[in-house]
Amino acid sequence: MLHRIALSLLFVTGLAFAGPAGEAGRYVETDEYLRSAFPAGVPTAKTLWVKGDLRADVERLLGHRFAALRVRYWSDEARSAWILDEVGKELPITIGVSVADGAIADVRVLEFRESRGWEVRYPFFTDQFVDARLGPDEHLDRRIDGITGATMSVGAVTRIARVALLLHEHVANDE
Amino acid sequence: MNTSQMTSNGNGNGNGNGNGRGRRWFRRGHRWVGLSLVVFVVYLSLSGIALNHSGDLELDRRYIGWSWLLDAYGLEVPEASMSFSDAGHRATLLGGRLFLDGRDVGQRETTLTGIAALGPVTLVGGEQDVYLFTSEGEFIEAIELGSMLTGPVEQVGRAGDRVILRSAGKLYQSDPDVAAFEVTDEVTAEYWSAGTPPDAEETAALEAAWRGQGLTVERVLLDLHSGRILSKTGPVLMDLVAVFLIVLSVSGLIMSNVRNRRK
């Protein structure tokens, strides 16, 4: 309870000082995100075809059809990074997720295109995903607190976090 | 003996009949206002419930196809800003939405730079991104190139089974899977994509596709609920309905109070 109150206070304080920086837009360039995920050097991009059972699993996690046939990812021995799009209400949110040892290492909102719900970009929200893993029921093994007025964006980021964990597990098993 | 007679007689007032008549009119007025508002109350309640569950019912992703309603909304199709074709495939930018072979592919762009069909894969170039599709038009992926290129994509071409992009005076060549691009100066494109207007048949298909996704059920429900569906008179009508509902509530309270006092 205290945790939720603290999060709400942080959010309200964040809003008070947000100013124009709180609006929709491109927050982080792809190469900037990848450099932060792989400080020792960004590995070459790889591609993964999403078809068959993997496609069915991804679509089950998303709760809707997955638009792309192929996704791009970057991986070295320690971690993988995924840049995926998911629609919040009407437009896609571009989200970067890096995964290490089957747990989320980092979630960043790279681009937000809609007029509402951009609060999901703030670390007070994205930090909740750090160390999260996929539980046996394919949900995250921890509760992610929502943000009032950004329910659909919160849902989109949470779905993408689960999908990234699933894709990481798939490529880790293949390798 | 009815209650109005009882009350007027009980008061022993010379105006008793007048008061009784007034109460009868008051009750009758309350009843008629109530009955005439039934349709509006049901209509507002149903539309309100539907709007409250708009996300669950995906009303913002369901589109109206009735042409009379689309016409009434004045849904005009914007002019195709850019259009390119190659090997029987045509990519067109219409109102910021990307259409491939007359179908909205769900991607948004500001600029189109060309199209290159390589047999199993078709690439459509945007300013900072390129979009890949199967030969059947199924979306494969969008590749963001903004961080790799020194400028926007200017032209799309092909050489053999590779896509060639021109950007800021440099040429970039794809790998055979069109998964990655690298700078090259050892290639001569055998084809450069150039813009051409869609023919009448293609234009008709584009217009139908555009209008098909131009008006959501949520939009119509919102306009029905607020009365804006009837232009400027609609909100005034809804205001009147709201005023009559207030009148009805107040008159109901008054009648209930009078009845309670009589008991």
Side-chain angles (χ1 to χ4, degrees):
Chain A
M1 185 65 188
L2 276 174
H3 180 63
R4 295 194 73 178
I5 292 171
L7 273 179
S8 303
L9 282 174
L10 266 173
F11 171 58
V12 171
T13 314
L15 276 185
F17 294 99
E23 293 167 4
R26 182 89 193 182
Y27 311 129
V28 185
E29 292 299 334
T30 303
D31 55 345
E32 186 188 341
Y33 174 70
L34 292 173
R35 279 199 303 274
S36 70
F38 300 99
V42 179
T44 310
K46 299 172 186 172
T47 54
L48 172 68
W49 285 91
V50 184
K51 50 190 181 183
D53 290 343
L54 178 62
R55 186 167 199 83
D57 291 343
V58 167
E59 292 185 346
R60 191 172 58 252
L61 292 191
L62 290 175
H64 60 78
R65 186 179 164 273
F66 185 55
L69 288 174
R70 193 168 78 179
V71 293
R72 185 165 299 268
Y73 70 102
W74 293 259
S75 74
D76 61 13
E77 289 168 2
R79 65 167 60 189
S80 67
W82 306 82
I83 294 177
L84 301 164
D85 280 354
E86 173 67 346
V87 173
K89 183 169 170 59
E90 286 175 346
L91 297 172
I93 307 168
T94 304
I95 303 157
V97 183
S98 56
V99 185
D101 296 327
I104 290 177
D106 177 48
V107 172
R108 303 268 297 274
V109 175
L110 308 189
E111 185 168 5
F112 194 90
R113 300 170 178 85
E114 294 185 270
S115 56
R116 294 174 67 186
W118 42 260
E119 296 87 350
V120 291
R121 65 176 286 206
Y122 290 120
F124 79 80
F125 173 71
T126 54
D127 285 353
Q128 298 181 88
F129 291 92
V130 175
D131 292 334
R133 293 173 183 272
L134 267 188
D137 58 352
E138 292 184 327
H139 281 87
L140 297 179
D141 62 356
R142 64 196 57 206
R143 181 186 158 80
I144 302 296
D145 288 329
I147 301 173
T148 306
T151 311
M152 297 183 106
S153 304
V154 167
V157 178
T158 308
R159 288 194 296 276
I160 286 301
R162 292 165 66 204
V163 168
L165 285 166
L166 177 82
L167 296 176
H168 172 88
E169 195 178 303
H170 182 84
V171 295
N173 289 341
D174 274 4
E175 288 165 3
Chain B
M1 187 182 287
N2 63 30
T3 48
S4 60
Q5 281 171 323
M6 277 173 67
T7 314
S8 56
N9 291 341
N11 285 342
N13 190 327
N15 294 328
N17 286 336
N19 283 344
R21 204 174 298 130
R23 283 196 200 98
R24 267 201 303 279
W25 276 108
F26 192 78
R27 261 203 308 273
R28 205 170 286 170
H30 177 83
R31 188 182 303 136
W32 281 110
V33 170
L35 283 174
S36 58
L37 285 181
V38 164
V39 175
F40 289 99
V41 170
V42 171
Y43 155 79
L44 286 171
S45 304
L46 289 178
S47 57
I49 290 169
L51 285 169
N52 266 350
H53 300 279
S54 175
D56 300 327
L57 298 171
E58 295 189 338
L59 299 181
D60 54 339
R61 291 176 197 177
R62 293 173 196 265
Y63 296 93
I64 301 286
W66 303 325
S67 51
W68 62 269
L69 191 55
L70 296 171
D71 287 341
Y73 264 82
L75 209 70
E76 288 178 15
V77 183
E79 204 168 313
S81 50
M82 290 164 188
S83 193
F84 295 84
S85 74
D86 184 28
H89 294 290
R90 176 172 288 281
T92 305
L93 199 60
L94 205 61
R97 281 153 55 178
L98 178 58
F99 289 77
L100 183 67
D101 299 334
R103 198 169 57 86
D104 187 344
V105 293
Q107 303 295 318
R108 287 168 186 266
E109 253 302 338
T110 50
T111 305
L112 273 196
T113 50
I115 183 171
L118 299 173
V121 174
T122 300
L123 177 144
V124 177
E127 196 172 23
Q128 303 283 338
D129 303 82
V130 292
Y131 304 90
L132 302 181
F133 301 89
T134 63
S135 53
E136 288 79 36
E138 203 172 353
F139 179 63
I140 298 176
E141 68 166 324
I143 307 177
E144 195 260 6
L145 297 172
S147 51
M148 189 192 94
L149 306 177
T150 48
V153 176
E154 291 160 0
Q155 224 175 352
V156 174
R158 54 180 156 78
D161 61 350
R162 311 291 177 98
V163 173
I164 309 293
L165 302 176
R166 190 197 300 277
S167 170
K170 291 181 184 168
L171 295 182
Y172 296 81
Q173 180 179 256
S174 75
D175 63 1
D177 293 333
V178 201
F181 288 84
E182 60 180 18
V183 179
T184 180
D185 51 8
E186 296 168 359
V187 68
T188 306
E190 58 202 44
Y191 153 88
W192 283 114
S193 187
T196 53
D199 63 26
E201 195 181 329
E202 288 167 333
T203 303
L206 282 167
E207 286 177 358
W210 168 269
R211 279 164 62 96
Q213 294 209 333
L215 184 62
T216 63
V217 174
E218 185 185 49
R219 177 75 264 153
V220 175
L221 266 178
L222 273 168
D223 291 342
L224 279 169
H225 193 75
S226 64
R228 288 199 177 83
I229 197 95
L230 297 177
S231 190
K232 285 178 183 170
T233 43
V236 176
L237 180 68
M238 287 304 160
D239 289 348
L240 279 175
V241 169
V243 168
F244 278 123
L245 276 172
I246 293 167
V247 168
L248 200 64
S249 308
V250 173
S251 59
L253 277 173
I254 291 168
M255 288 199 319
S256 165
N257 198 31
V258 166
R259 194 165 294 165
N260 287 341
R261 270 194 301 182
R262 237 181 267 142
K263 282 177 186 171

